[in-house]
């Protein structure tokens, strides 16, 4: 076997080993596709591609109801301990409900009629993240030739960057609700009358991205119509919120608690994003198997991932192989593949125990690389 060729199993072991992040990044680019794994993925999951509307609606609406009810308690309760408990419940529940933006992006909308509208009316607009900010963006992250390159809106080579990038990556998310309020209440209306500003808003401030070099293109057709009504609703909601606060209709204390909870949701999502991949690609196109190995599954028996990686996000690596499979079927897909594929299959190398180990690995990579 030459230095330029690896079997998928050997490549998986090497990319998971302690050989140094720079060496792992180089080897990742030479990982071939594990054809046996990809064949098993296609054959064993053919019946799992249909979304169940009852699961979607009940899970989403219960999560949103619990989140808003706990938010109300956090605002109105007197004892500090009750405020804190209610705030924690609200953060986790609204975070789960907000996670359905990922499903909205991938789903066939005819399979769950009205779900896009329901998501935006209940969560997207109220929390200032309407689905147009993800639709048309996230699918580029799954494009075969874009993943991990400078054309991927959701990728940065974090493992190859300086140590200070990780805390900055987390801390910037605290400001997300303030930035979104300003974008929707000020920039969006002004941009209707200032074409250069509109171009800037569309390209730079209309997507949930982490790659600062990415520029979004204007939407067309139905996507443009969805964008317009969602952006209009988010702008009206943002203006109403700020007007209510400045006129005293909305108590400042209640508004600040709302912002704090939305900020916490954004931070939790940013932490989850931090461990969704290994972030070890330096910009080259990768094979499908290499993309899978650069991604992360955190399967059972661990229970905490159900909280910090809800709505199927604990199977993020598997999702990169099966982007159209709904979140509620990913657990079954993982069980089938785990049972069918041999222990030395590349599939098993994308599974990790939990968040602490993944965060440590990433931080260690930046320390060595950034030293």
């Amino acid at each position: 076997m030459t230095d330029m060729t690896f079997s998928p199993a050997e490549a998986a072991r090497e990319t998971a080993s302690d050989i140094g992040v720079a060496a792992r990044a180089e080897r990742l680019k030479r990982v071939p596709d594990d054809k046996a794994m990809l064949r098993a993925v296609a054959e064993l999951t053919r019946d799992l591609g249909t979304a169940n509307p009852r699961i979607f609606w009940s899970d989403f609406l219960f999560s949103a109801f619990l989140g808003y009810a706990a938010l109300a308690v956090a605002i109105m309760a007197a004892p500090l301990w009750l405020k804190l408990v209610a705030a924690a419940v609200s953060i986790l529940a609204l975070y789960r409900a907000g996670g359905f933006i990922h499903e909205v992006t991938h789903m066939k909308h005819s399979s769950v009629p009205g779900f896009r509208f329901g998501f935006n009316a209940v969560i997207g607009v109220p929390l200032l993240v309407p689905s147009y900010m993800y639709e048309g963006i996230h699918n580029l992250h799954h494009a075969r030739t874009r993943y991990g390159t400078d054309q991927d809106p959701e990728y940065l080579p974090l493992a190859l960057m300086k140590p200070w990038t990780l805390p900055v990556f987390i801390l910037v998310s605290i400001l997300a609700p303030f930035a979104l309020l300003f974008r929707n209440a000020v920039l969006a209306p002004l941009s209707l009358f200032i074409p250069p500003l509109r171009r800037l808003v569309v390209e730079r401030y209309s997507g949930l991205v982490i790659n600062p070099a990415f520029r979004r293109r204007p939407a067309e057709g139905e996507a443009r119509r969805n964008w317009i009504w969602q952006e209009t609703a988010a702008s009206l909601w943002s203006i109403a919120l700020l007007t209510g606060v400045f006129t005293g209709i909305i108590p400042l204390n209640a508004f600040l608690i709302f912002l704090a909870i939305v900020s916490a949701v954004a931070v939790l999502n940013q932490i989850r994003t931090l461990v969704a991949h290994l972030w070890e690609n330096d910009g080259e196109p990768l094979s499908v198997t290499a993309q899978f190995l650069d991604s992360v599954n955190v399967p059972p028996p661990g229970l905490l991932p159900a909280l910090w990686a809800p709505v199927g996000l604990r199977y993020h690596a598997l999702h990169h192989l099966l982007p159209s499979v709904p979140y509620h079927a990913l657990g079954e897909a993982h069980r089938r593949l785990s049972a069918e594929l041999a222990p030395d299959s590349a599939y098993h190398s994308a599974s990790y125990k939990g968040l602490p180990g993944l965060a440590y690995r990433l931080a260690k990579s930046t320390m060595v690389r950034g030293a």
Side-chain angles (χ1 to χ4, degrees):
M1 185 173 290
T2 69
D3 185 55
M4 296 298 292
T5 305
F6 296 85
S7 71
E10 181 185 11
R13 287 194 298 271
E14 293 289 358
T15 55
S17 68
D18 194 24
I19 60 174
V21 64
R24 291 200 303 267
E26 285 302 312
R27 290 176 183 267
L28 189 67
K29 290 184 285 189
R30 301 199 296 273
V31 172
D33 274 324
D34 186 335
K35 294 181 180 179
M37 178 185 74
L38 298 179
R39 189 182 308 114
V41 168
E43 292 175 353
L44 295 176
T45 63
R46 287 174 179 167
D47 61 326
L48 300 179
T50 303
N52 186 319
R54 282 190 297 179
I55 294 177
F56 264 73
W57 282 111
S58 59
D59 189 348
F60 170 68
L61 291 176
F62 176 77
S63 298
F65 172 79
L66 180 61
Y68 286 131
L71 171 62
V73 173
I75 290 172
M76 296 185 293
L80 179 60
W81 69 267
L82 184 54
K83 280 183 174 291
L84 294 176
V85 170
V89 172
S90 181
I91 291 165
L92 291 173
L94 291 178
Y95 174 52
R96 181 177 183 86
F100 278 88
I101 193 172
H102 187 253
E103 295 300 307
V104 170
T105 300
H106 283 288
M107 67 192 302
K108 287 185 177 180
H109 292 283
S110 59
S111 64
V112 190
F115 194 80
R116 176 196 275 132
F117 178 84
F119 171 82
N120 284 296
V122 175
I123 288 290
V125 170
L127 297 192
L128 308 173
V129 284
S131 64
Y132 82 85
M133 299 192 76
Y134 208 51
E135 295 182 273
I137 293 287
H138 180 65
N139 63 303
L140 299 178
H141 176 57
H142 284 274
R144 166 68 176 80
T145 58
R146 284 180 181 256
Y147 175 90
T149 71
D150 60 0
Q151 297 300 307
D152 185 342
E154 297 181 24
Y155 198 96
L156 284 174
L158 293 171
L160 305 173
M161 297 173 75
K162 298 292 184 180
W164 57 264
T165 58
L166 298 187
V168 169
F169 186 80
I170 298 298
L171 291 174
V172 71
S173 61
I174 295 175
L175 302 176
F178 303 95
L180 290 169
L181 272 173
F182 183 72
R183 184 244 183 257
N184 289 311
V186 179
L187 294 182
L190 283 178
S191 71
L192 297 178
F193 306 99
I194 308 175
L197 177 60
R198 183 61 187 172
R199 184 167 58 252
L200 179 67
V201 168
V202 169
E203 291 182 351
R204 300 291 303 276
Y205 309 127
S206 296
L208 300 178
V209 306
I210 65 172
N211 178 2
F214 179 78
R215 299 292 182 270
R216 185 172 192 175
R217 296 178 180 179
E220 299 177 352
E222 183 183 358
R224 183 175 182 274
R225 291 189 290 272
N226 284 324
W227 181 326
I228 289 173
W229 77 258
Q230 292 173 31
E231 183 179 35
T232 300
S235 290
L236 293 174
W237 169 247
S238 299
I239 292 169
L241 270 179
L242 293 174
T243 301
V245 172
F246 285 120
T247 59
I249 297 175
I250 299 175
L252 180 60
N253 181 62
F255 182 63
L256 292 177
I257 290 174
F258 167 74
L259 288 182
I261 286 176
V262 175
S263 286
V265 170
V267 170
L268 184 55
N269 184 64
Q270 198 80 328
I271 292 172
R272 192 272 312 166
T273 300
L274 202 62
V275 296
H277 296 284
L278 301 182
W279 310 105
E280 294 179 350
N281 185 36
D282 60 4
E284 296 291 327
L286 300 176
S287 68
V288 173
T289 298
Q291 294 177 27
F292 171 77
L293 291 172
D294 191 45
S295 306
V296 169
N297 286 333
V298 191
L303 297 177
L304 285 179
L307 296 179
W308 61 261
V311 195
L313 292 173
R314 69 185 304 166
Y315 299 106
H316 194 77
L318 177 57
H319 168 69
H320 270 265
L321 298 179
L322 297 168
S324 63
V325 169
Y327 79 99
H328 56 72
L330 288 175
E332 175 60 24
H334 175 75
R335 285 188 290 272
R336 294 180 186 181
L337 292 166
S338 296
E340 178 71 18
L341 292 169
D344 64 346
S345 169
Y347 183 80
H348 304 290
S349 296
S351 291
Y352 298 84
K353 291 183 178 180
L355 190 152
L358 288 162
Y360 172 76
R361 172 182 171 135
L362 181 58
K364 180 182 177 182
S365 296
T366 64
M367 294 294 181
V368 174
R369 179 75 175 184

